[in-house]
Amino acid sequence: MAATTSSESGLLPKASSIALAPPPIPPTVLETDPSYPLLKPILSYLALASSWTSITIHTHSPVDPSKRLPRAMISGIPPTNLYAELEDPGQKKEKKVDKKIRREWVLPSSLRENWTLRKWAEVFDLLGDLPPGENGEGDCDEKVEKKRILMGIVGGDGTVVFYFVHDGIVKPRQN
Amino acid sequence: MSDCSTTPFPIHTSDNRYLILDINVIPILREKYRILGHMLGTLPQIPQQNVFLGLPMQLLPEEAKLLVDQGAAYLVDSKEVYRDWYKSLGEEEKEKILEERKHAEVMDGERRKQEADERKRKFWEKKRLDDLKKQGGETSLEGGSGSETPTVSERPETPIQTEYVVAAPKPPSGSTEVPNVPETYPLFKYLHEKEYYLSSGLRFGANYVAYPGDPARFHSHFCVNSKQFDEEFSMIDIVGGGRLGGGVKKGWLLGGVENTDESGKDNVRAFCVEWGGF
């Protein structure tokens, strides 16, 4: 089973846009998974504080379902496009209209652990361009030049911070 | 030196420093080879200022290696060249150089003394005038002498004869000497091949700063840090790097050698980190 969806719980059929509880952690996530203790604070933050929707937890590679991810990952749709891509100023107006919000990958991690470049490489190698949606299909047909993930780092007091990590050289946003 | 664009040019080395002494080489380095270097030379009288720096230009060891590997430059040991040149001089020439130096020192000393005398004279002149003014309001009586401008003695126009002896570079021999470069070199080379301009990243707490074009025309895109592919770093580094980069409108680029193929070529992989924004 490659993905488990949060909507299975079906607690709030009428007010589905407002989450009152974070999505449950599916049983496919093993207790030995490094993500296991990190999922709850990250899911809470995404669902309750940041109003992400369609949150899904992945334990296997979407590209090759026989391979387990190094740790369970989350995907979801943020309320707005998080990463304003650089566009030609002239094109900006017309493009904005019907642009779907891109589904993002979230990689849970703890402030206490150490990281290496190889860990990123392993994760990226198992991911497709975009996370699969709830039905296993992409829900955004955006063209992806470089893969990206959001690194969700859980601090000691439950604070969660998010950093984009791109696989390759990506020109930074004009802040 | 119009032919320096075609022939390899010398990089003078001394004590692990890599210096360019020919001004004509510098624009070529910048335009053709995307090598920035760093100007070192300052003015002997105002050594603290660092707004106007000139020759010599110091290259990073990485830059020097890149040039040598491309066959664009060759290393010259400054010490050896100087020793050879000195040995080639006759006794008479040595005398002459010593004499010239001594002369220059004497002239310099005299010029300073004259300047000091001039300052003293001006001071006393001014004091005398002020005293006169104080003595009576009717300075107009003595207006003639008061407005008399003190005659400034002409500064002695004796240009100091300085002879710059730049050791003639020896033609590229079959020397295989290559600069010693730090472990960060593969990433430097990788980004340079991707047509980035790189300079030292010391000011931003990184190994390098990467510019998408000539730094005179572009803001930099990345703070660049190199890591071994299995080297552990703390999460706080990711937060710090991402934040620091974001604070100065840059991305934070981390990279290293993922593997080396049979031909010995390093395969570099890079990741860019930016603050998530929420």
Side-chain angles (χ1 to χ4, degrees):
Chain A
M1 188 169 162
T4 309
T5 59
S6 62
S7 55
E8 278 171 6
S9 57
L11 280 174
L12 297 157
K14 290 292 168 212
S16 57
S17 61
I18 307 157
L20 290 182
I25 298 167
T28 46
V29 181
L30 306 175
E31 274 185 48
T32 51
D33 192 308
S35 283
Y36 187 78
L38 306 168
L39 285 172
K40 206 175 167 190
I42 295 179
L43 288 172
S44 305
Y45 189 90
L46 291 177
L48 306 181
S50 301
S51 314
W52 280 37
T53 50
S54 180
I55 295 172
T56 312
I57 293 162
H58 307 255
T59 52
H60 287 74
S61 163
V63 189
D64 181 356
S66 67
K67 283 185 181 153
R68 217 169 225 287
L69 292 168
R71 60 178 68 189
M73 289 181 72
I74 304 164
S75 79
I77 300 175
T80 55
N81 247 331
L82 286 180
Y83 196 89
E85 318 264 356
L86 282 176
E87 293 161 2
D88 290 336
Q91 283 192 332
K92 221 169 188 173
K93 282 171 207 157
E94 37 183 319
K95 256 191 147 180
K96 238 180 184 174
V97 185
D98 59 339
K99 213 173 174 187
K100 271 189 174 172
I101 296 171
R102 177 170 162 174
R103 179 177 276 269
E104 302 283 354
W105 279 115
V106 177
L107 177 68
S109 56
S110 160
L111 191 62
R112 279 193 298 258
E113 66 184 315
N114 283 332
W115 203 254
T116 65
L117 296 181
R118 197 171 301 281
K119 287 185 188 174
W120 273 332
E122 281 165 2
V123 169
F124 277 119
D125 287 345
L126 290 173
L127 299 183
D129 285 349
L130 285 168
E134 287 177 281
N135 308 319
E137 300 155 18
D139 38 18
C140 175
D141 48 3
E142 194 180 310
K143 213 172 170 320
V144 174
E145 275 179 27
K146 294 272 168 26
K147 295 179 208 174
R148 71 169 183 233
I149 55 171
L150 270 166
M151 192 121 179
I153 305 173
V154 181
D157 60 352
T159 313
V160 190
V161 290
F162 292 92
Y163 281 82
F164 276 114
V165 180
H166 303 266
D167 184 19
I169 303 172
V170 176
K171 193 178 165 189
R173 291 171 284 187
Q174 228 72 22
N175 299 326
Chain B
M1 265 186 116
S2 56
D3 60 336
C4 52
S5 59
T6 52
T7 55
F9 41 80
I11 296 174
H12 298 258
T13 68
S14 163
D15 199 17
N16 229 6
R17 280 171 182 252
Y18 301 91
L19 301 173
I20 298 287
L21 300 179
D22 182 354
I23 192 89
N24 297 304
V25 168
I26 290 171
I28 297 164
L29 281 183
R30 215 178 162 102
E31 284 160 23
K32 194 169 165 197
Y33 297 100
R34 301 190 301 281
I35 293 291
L36 300 170
H38 179 76
M39 290 301 203
L40 279 188
T42 183
L43 303 168
Q45 303 284 345
I46 335 167
Q48 283 93 343
Q49 68 89 24
N50 60 2
V51 181
F52 304 105
L53 296 174
L55 287 175
M57 185 168 93
Q58 184 173 358
L59 300 177
L60 293 170
E62 293 91 317
E63 294 175 318
K65 182 168 161 59
L66 214 67
L67 290 169
V68 171
D69 286 353
Q70 287 179 1
Y74 58 98
L75 297 184
V76 172
D77 189 328
S78 297
K79 207 161 74 183
E80 250 171 53
V81 170
Y82 182 78
R83 204 195 298 128
D84 292 349
W85 167 80
Y86 190 75
K87 269 186 195 158
S88 74
L89 292 178
E91 283 305 314
E92 242 175 70
E93 283 170 298
K94 286 183 192 168
E95 281 291 306
K96 204 179 134 208
I97 290 171
L98 271 180
E99 202 57 46
E100 264 171 21
R101 279 205 193 151
K102 219 177 243 172
H103 177 73
E105 269 170 38
V106 171
M107 293 307 288
D108 196 37
E110 265 173 28
R111 188 176 53 80
R112 279 169 196 246
K113 190 166 172 295
Q114 270 173 0
E115 278 173 0
D117 287 349
E118 183 66 23
R119 273 199 300 274
K120 265 188 218 159
R121 210 182 59 73
K122 269 189 189 156
F123 173 80
W124 288 112
E125 181 72 20
K126 190 169 175 287
K127 195 164 159 44
R128 194 179 65 82
L129 289 177
D130 287 350
D131 287 348
L132 277 176
K133 264 186 204 159
K134 266 188 213 156
Q135 273 170 20
E138 64 272 37
T139 45
S140 56
L141 286 179
E142 298 187 60
S145 68
S147 64
E148 188 186 306
T149 48
T151 50
V152 180
S153 68
E154 283 289 302
R155 173 188 268 221
E157 284 300 319
T158 47
I160 297 165
Q161 289 287 323
T162 318
E163 196 154 298
Y164 291 105
V165 186
V166 176
K170 58 179 175 183
S173 59
S175 80
T176 51
E177 206 188 341
V178 165
N180 298 321
V181 286
E183 290 172 337
T184 54
Y185 180 70
L187 184 60
F188 180 91
K189 190 166 173 244
Y190 173 77
L191 289 171
H192 188 268
E193 277 167 1
K194 299 244 176 236
E195 310 222 319
Y196 280 93
Y197 279 70
L198 294 146
S199 74
S200 160
L202 183 60
R203 276 176 297 173
F204 298 104
N207 292 127
Y208 308 108
V209 178
Y211 298 81
D214 191 310
R217 297 171 55 219
F218 291 89
H219 283 301
S220 62
H221 276 182
F222 301 109
C223 297
V224 181
N225 266 20
S226 169
K227 302 261 183 223
Q228 305 291 316
F229 223 67
D230 289 302
E231 181 184 344
E232 293 202 327
F233 50 92
S234 118
M235 280 296 167
I236 217 85
D237 289 347
I238 298 176
V239 177
R243 273 292 183 171
L244 179 66
V248 287
K249 299 191 178 185
K250 295 180 204 344
W252 187 52
L253 192 151
L254 264 173
V257 180
E258 188 175 19
N259 53 52
T260 309
D261 59 26
E262 312 90 55
S263 58
K265 195 183 175 291
D266 290 331
N267 288 318
V268 175
R269 191 158 175 182
F271 302 96
C272 294
V273 178
E274 278 180 87
W275 179 47
F278 70 101

